[in-house]
Amino acid sequence: MISGKAKLAGVMGWPVGHSLSPRIHNYWLQQHRIDGAYVPLVVEPVRFEQALRALSALGFQGVNLTVPHKETALFVVDRLDNLAQRVGAVNTVVVRKDGSLEGRNTDVFGFAENLRNAGLTTGDIATIIGAGGAARAVIVALQEMGFTNIRVVNRTRERAEKLSKSFSDGIQIFDEAKINEALDGADLLVNTTSLGMVGEPPLKIDLLSLPREAWVTDVVYAPLMTDLLKQAQQRGNKIVDGLNMLLHQASPGFEAWFGAKPEVNENLRRFVLAET
Ligand code: ATR
């Protein structure tokens, strides 16, 4: 039960009904016996700025942002952290003591932490499929982890070129037809598109030239075992599913708003999966 002194946070999106964040944060609140609540906030785009600005007046500690607000937030918050700036998206907003808003990006941490916990701490060559918003966070995470050669494979070349231009260097673009070249010698393969997600077509990819020692991960977590991960596992690659990326990205926000460091463990995974 929450009291009149409960600390408040939430997730703003449009729509927001699909978000697993309320489940994750309220699980942690209960675990830590914190007097607090994390609520879904359905905010339409035209009222987003008004809603975000109201957080301080309402006494919120902050919010997570999801589609379509992550990019708009760049122009609304008072301060951006380095990662939000580099990714070009804000997924976590912290209301500071003076009422100002700080925009952060914890998707970068979520992606890297998921791989680190699975045993992959660094590498040289990473091949990523897709050039959208998720790809941007993955690229910054890979740069942070020390990958020096990032290859982007995308259906639309122009989109990949635009993405590559916004990062300084170290990004090579490949057309889908050149997938064999893009996978040759890679240490890691990442799917950043929604292909393979429930209700979407599968990601069709020939892994022939991917080294057997390479790691394969997917940002899609519903289903947990995507066709890509199954295919990679069958040929002997080490695989990492995408669920813990979601769980780890939630952790820095929780700590900033509620003051406790939460744990990502098997019980939380099971609890969150029961909803997917
Ligand atoms: P997100 O923010 O989740 O990354 P997005 O910005 O819409 O979503 O990006 C989606 C990515 O998935 C893009 O790289 C897109 O390729 P295009 O740039 O060619 O559109 C890719 N994608 C989506 N559907 C696809 C499909 N059917 N085949 C190949 N790529 C697809």
Side-chain angles (χ1 to χ4, degrees), residues 130-135 154-156 159 176 192-193 195:
N154 197 48
R155 176 180 58 181
T156 314
R159 185 116 181 247
E176 283 178 332
T192 73
T193 73
L195 296 173

Side-chain angles (χ1 to χ4, degrees), residues 67 70-71 129-136 152-160 163 176 191-195 197 200-204 219:
V67 178
K70 286 182 171 192
E71 285 87 15
I129 314 291
R136 296 189 60 89
V152 174
V153 183
N154 197 48
R155 176 180 58 181
T156 314
R157 192 177 176 94
E158 294 85 333
R159 185 116 181 247
L163 171 114
E176 283 178 332
N191 173 42
T192 73
T193 73
S194 54
L195 296 173
M197 193 190 288
E200 299 277 337
L203 172 69
K204 293 210 181 79
V219 301

